[in-house]
Amino acid sequence: MSLAAAFAVPDVHQLLDDLVHRRVPDERGRFGPFGGAFVPESLVQALAHLTRGAQEALSDADFRAHLDQELQDAVGRPTPLTPAPNLGRELGLNVFLKREDLAHTGAHKINNALGQALLAKRLGARRVVAETGAGQHGVATAAACARVGLPCTVYMGAVDVERQAPNVARMRLLGADVVSVTTGEATLRAAIDEAMRAWVADPEDTYYLLGSALGPHPYPWLVREFQKVIGDEARAQVLDRTGALPDVVVACVGGGSNAIGLFHAFVPDSDVELVGVEAGGSAAGDAATLTRGRPGVLHGSYGPLLQGAHGQIHETHSVSAGLDYPGVGPEHALLQLTGRARYLAVDDEQALAALSLLCRTEGILPALESSHALAALPGIAAERPGATVVLGLSGRGDKDLPTLVPRVLGGGA
Ligand SMILES: *Cc1c(COP(=O)(O)O)cnc(C)c1O
C-alpha cells in the first residue's frame, strides 16, 4: 500500500504546495495528516502556553539577535562547509560536508538545546528537564543550561546509563542531575515518558527541552526553527563556493532534527534532490521508520511507527545509538508522502565502511549516525555521476570509540 493510501490523503499536490510555501504546520500542529498533539488533558494547557511563548520569542528581533550571538560565541557558528575532494574522487562526486561535528559538544544537538534553554529562561522557567538516549542530547542540554544559568535534570533509561557511562559522567560534570529510569524497556522511550511526567507535575516552573523534531506540537516545529540554521548556512556557503545550488542534499534521520535543519532551506528549490538516510540495522532489527513503519501515535504525534501487528512498538536496533527511535518527525513523513524527499535505509556494515572511508580519505572521524548519510553516497554516485552533494555531517565519532575499536580495528586493538 502506498503511503498516501495508508494515511488516506486526498490531495498530495495541495500538500506539496503547502510544504513549498511554508504553510506547515497548521495551527493544530499538523504537517498534512501527520503530527498534531495527542496528549492527556493535563498537558494541553502547558503545550498551548509553550506554543504561544515560542511564537512570540521567535518573532522578537531582540530574542533572535541574542540567539544568533550565542550561536556564534558559545556554539562556534557558522560551522564550515568543507569540500571533500579525496572522498569525491573516490566516489565520482563533488562532495561538500556541512560540519556540525565542529559545533560545541560535537554535534548539531547544541543548536536546539541552546535555543530552547534561552526560550526556557525567557518564559520564566526555574528548571529544565530533558530526556536522553545515548546521552548526546543530555550533554548538549547540560552545556546549554550551564551557559544560560538554569538547573537541569536529565532522564535516561537505566540500560542506557549502563551503556553510555562516559556521557553520564560528562552530563554530571556539566552540572546536570541524571535520573536513571527503570520503567518499561528502560531506554529512550521510557525516558521521554518520564520527562513528560515531570513536566506535567509542575508545568509552571519546569521547561521540557525535547531533543529532536518529534513529539507533540509545537516541538517538531520549534526544533526545526532552531536547527534550520544548518541549511540556511549551507545553502549560502555552497552558492558562494560553486555559484550554484547542489544537485543533492543528504542527511541521516533518527528523530529527524539534523536532516530537517539541513533540508528546510532547500525545500522550495525543486531541482535539489533531498535524501534522508535511516538506520537499516542488522539481522537483529532496524530503526528505519519511514522505510518500514505503519501509522500510529507515539509521544503525542501521529505518523509512521515501527510496530507489530497489534500496535505494540518495536524495540529498535542500530549500531548508532542516536538513530534508535521507533518513530520519526512528522515533517519528514510529509516530505516523503509528497515525494519532495526520499528516504532509504543503510545497514550497520555499510555505515561502518563509510566511516572508515571518510577517515582514510579526509582525516575526519564522523559519528556513526552521520556515517549512515555517507553510506548513501555510492548509490547516489551510481545514479548521478559527478553530482554536487551537500552532506550533513551531524557529529563527530569520538563518542563511538567503544563500538569502533572492536568492530573496525578488530578484537585485539
Ligand atoms: C542524535 C544524533 C542524530 C540523530 O538525531 P536527529 O534528531 O535525527 O538529528 C544524528 N547524528 C548525531 C551526531 C546525533 O548525535
Side-chain angles (χ1 to χ4, degrees), residues 258-311:
N258 87 88
I260 206 68
L262 180 61
F263 289 177
H264 189 67
F266 295 99
V267 167
D269 302 320
S270 55
D271 288 343
V272 177
E273 184 183 9
L274 306 176
V275 180
V277 187
E278 297 191 300
S282 64
D286 64 83
T289 312
L290 287 159
T291 319
R292 292 167 196 161
R294 291 186 301 106
V297 171
L298 177 65
H299 295 131
S301 178
Y302 178 71
L305 290 181
L306 291 171
Q307 54 187 319
H310 305 289

Side-chain angles (χ1 to χ4, degrees), residues 106-109 136-137 211-213 252-259 322-323 367 369-370 394-396 399:
H108 67 290
K109 287 195 169 76
Q136 295 301 110
H137 175 56
S212 189
C252 66
V253 177
S257 71
N258 87 88
L323 299 183
E369 291 83 359
S370 324
S394 54
R396 65 176 183 234
K399 68 180 177 59

Side-chain angles (χ1 to χ4, degrees), residues 56-69 118 122:
E56 277 167 22
L58 289 172
S59 51
D60 176 351
D62 288 342
F63 180 81
R64 297 209 77 109
H66 183 44
L67 172 63
D68 286 350
Q69 191 65 48
L118 289 169
R122 176 183 164 110

